[in-house]
Amino acid sequence: MDQDCTGERELLEAISRITTFSTTSPSDEEQNQPQAEISCQARKENPEKDELQDSNASLSPNSLMTTKELQEYWRNEKRHCRQVKLLFEIPSTRIVEHHLSKYVMYKIIILQTGSFDSNKSVIERRYSDFEKLHRKLLEEFSEEMEDVTFPKKTLTGNFTEEIINERKLAFMDYLRFLYSMKYIRRSKKFIDFLTRPELQEAYGCLRGGQYSKALEILLEVIGLQERLTRGNPVSIVPTLCAIVVCHKDLENPSSAFEYGEKALSCLRVYTSHRYYIPLLETMITLAYELGKDFLSLQEKLEEWKAKKDPVRIFTLKELAVREYVQ
């Protein structure tokens, strides 16, 4: 009970400190405008040209979509046009002691701008995790990282309250600065820092048959993944499919079907993706079990098979257990 109260106080304090914080200034907003926003502006300025391009685009799914699918497609397009801002706060730390090691874990709260509680993500990282991220980013973004200061290691005093508080503030500013730069916040290195440890744990649980534990972690991660990779929905397909696998093995077919639909919508124009056919096959099975329309899914599967040479296709579960294998 005390831990719950402490956690609630930490979150409330974190939110009160960051409600007025913005990672980019108005001038930076224009400079760092996402490609999706630029694309939306171009559509407004020259709609006729855009329509012509859409009609000629080889990947355009519009001609094959039902009215309902078209509506959902354009809703997704509009969502991609709006930049999602995330705020980073480090409200607390804890010292971890093992037999041969001792280190500080920093609790990072990631909030979406304008949200209170429903869109928060909470992760923990240690100094060495930040250090690895910094080293990797320097390799790819040396110019952008020129003015970035990183807290140096000290030979003594690493566990004093003064040093821990200094680093807590430094890491908070560090994350905010990285996120303010478009190319860095979209980089795989930055996204992996925020999501990969949890995903590795989740997939480890999945491989061990701990589907409930895996599902719990995956559901916590997917929201953050979606906000970090907006504009690149294909990147979250493996996580969505892992959630499908967990729900299916836990005998929750309706929930499995719900997440399967999300994954299929991400792959609408990427039918050559390695997850597409295994996902279709799983969705056909789920739709049949739930009494839903499986014929349209079956038609897509047959259409794909008619165009492609027969190849070895893994099942959805076989693909999922291969993710994040060291």
Side-chain angles (χ1 to χ4, degrees):
M1 187 67 178
D2 291 342
Q3 289 181 341
D4 292 340
C5 293
T6 302
E8 188 67 24
R9 279 200 306 274
E10 290 173 351
L11 179 57
L12 290 173
E13 290 172 3
I15 293 170
S16 67
R17 287 198 296 271
I18 63 179
T19 50
T20 59
F21 177 80
S22 174
T23 58
T24 55
S25 64
S27 58
D28 288 334
E29 280 294 323
E30 186 174 348
Q31 181 180 353
N32 292 336
Q33 188 179 30
Q35 189 62 40
E37 290 179 331
I38 296 171
S39 174
C40 288
Q41 185 64 28
R43 292 187 178 195
K44 292 177 183 177
E45 293 172 355
N46 198 348
E48 293 180 0
K49 180 179 178 182
D50 184 68
E51 288 173 5
L52 181 61
Q53 289 175 338
D54 281 347
S55 64
N56 292 331
S58 60
L59 290 179
S60 176
N62 296 0
S63 60
L64 302 176
M65 289 185 189
T66 64
T67 302
K68 182 179 179 181
E69 288 174 331
L70 274 171
Q71 290 172 344
E72 180 62 26
Y73 178 80
W74 288 116
R75 274 198 293 270
N76 287 333
E77 285 290 296
K78 289 177 182 177
R79 281 199 292 268
H80 293 159
C81 293
R82 294 194 291 268
Q83 180 184 1
V84 174
K85 290 185 185 177
L86 300 181
L87 307 178
F88 297 85
E89 184 74 10
I90 303 179
S92 63
T93 61
R94 64 186 179 94
I95 297 175
V96 178
E97 292 190 67
H98 292 304
H99 179 61
L100 297 174
S101 64
K102 181 179 180 181
Y103 53 87
V104 179
M105 294 294 289
Y106 297 84
K107 178 188 283 188
I108 306 168
I109 296 179
I110 307 164
L111 287 169
Q112 185 172 320
T113 306
S115 68
F116 175 65
D117 188 36
S118 60
N119 290 318
K120 76 174 178 15
S121 298
V122 181
I123 59 176
E124 284 189 314
R125 297 292 182 268
R126 54 190 290 189
Y127 180 94
S128 60
D129 296 323
F130 281 97
E131 190 176 38
K132 288 175 187 175
L133 171 66
H134 189 68
R135 189 164 57 247
K136 290 177 181 179
L137 290 177
L138 282 174
E139 294 173 358
E140 186 175 352
F141 304 101
S142 56
E143 292 185 11
E144 291 88 342
M145 301 285 289
E146 278 181 347
D147 299 324
V148 179
T149 56
F150 189 85
K152 297 185 182 298
K153 282 185 176 179
T154 57
L155 295 176
T156 59
N158 285 307
F159 302 101
T160 64
E161 184 177 354
E162 181 182 2
I163 293 295
I164 291 174
N165 285 333
E166 284 179 4
R167 286 184 175 175
K168 192 167 71 170
L169 294 173
F171 285 142
M172 190 165 59
D173 289 339
Y174 179 72
L175 289 174
R176 291 171 174 177
F177 184 80
L178 294 181
Y179 185 76
S180 72
M181 293 185 283
K182 178 176 65 176
Y183 295 109
I184 290 182
R185 72 168 172 261
R186 292 181 178 180
S187 70
K188 186 177 185 300
K189 294 179 176 66
F190 182 67
I191 294 170
D192 279 352
F193 169 79
L194 296 171
T195 60
R196 189 177 180 90
E198 286 72 24
L199 287 171
Q200 287 177 320
E201 181 184 359
Y203 278 95
C205 292
L206 193 157
R207 283 189 288 274
Q210 298 175 277
Y211 301 115
S212 294
K213 180 62 176 176
L215 182 60
E216 179 185 344
I217 300 170
L218 290 167
L219 291 175
E220 289 180 1
V221 175
I222 189 63
L224 178 58
Q225 262 193 310
E226 287 174 331
R227 295 194 292 276
L228 288 167
T229 61
R230 184 156 297 205
N232 182 25
V234 178
S235 61
I236 66 170
V237 166
T239 306
L240 289 171
C241 288
I243 292 174
V244 172
V245 169
C246 289
H247 273 306
K248 190 171 182 297
D249 279 24
L250 290 169
E251 299 183 355
N252 300 324
S254 58
S255 296
F257 191 83
E258 176 189 347
Y259 281 93
E261 285 187 312
K262 290 182 181 180
L264 273 181
S265 70
C266 294
L267 295 177
R268 186 175 287 120
V269 296
Y270 301 97
T271 57
S272 295
H273 194 280
R274 60 197 172 96
Y275 270 90
Y276 182 69
I277 293 306
L279 178 59
L280 261 184
E281 292 175 336
T282 299
M283 291 295 284
I284 290 169
T285 302
L286 290 169
Y288 183 81
E289 182 180 349
L290 293 167
K292 295 180 180 290
D293 172 30
F294 64 89
L295 293 178
S296 59
L297 296 169
Q298 187 71 46
E299 287 174 3
K300 290 179 181 178
L301 179 60
E302 296 303 326
E303 180 183 339
W304 188 92
K305 287 182 176 179
K307 292 179 180 179
K308 305 287 184 180
D309 294 329
V311 292
R312 168 77 169 97
I313 298 292
F314 292 110
T315 66
L316 196 67
K317 188 171 183 177
E318 285 173 338
L319 277 181
V321 298
R322 283 168 167 75
E323 295 285 346
Y324 294 97
V325 175
Q326 298 296 329

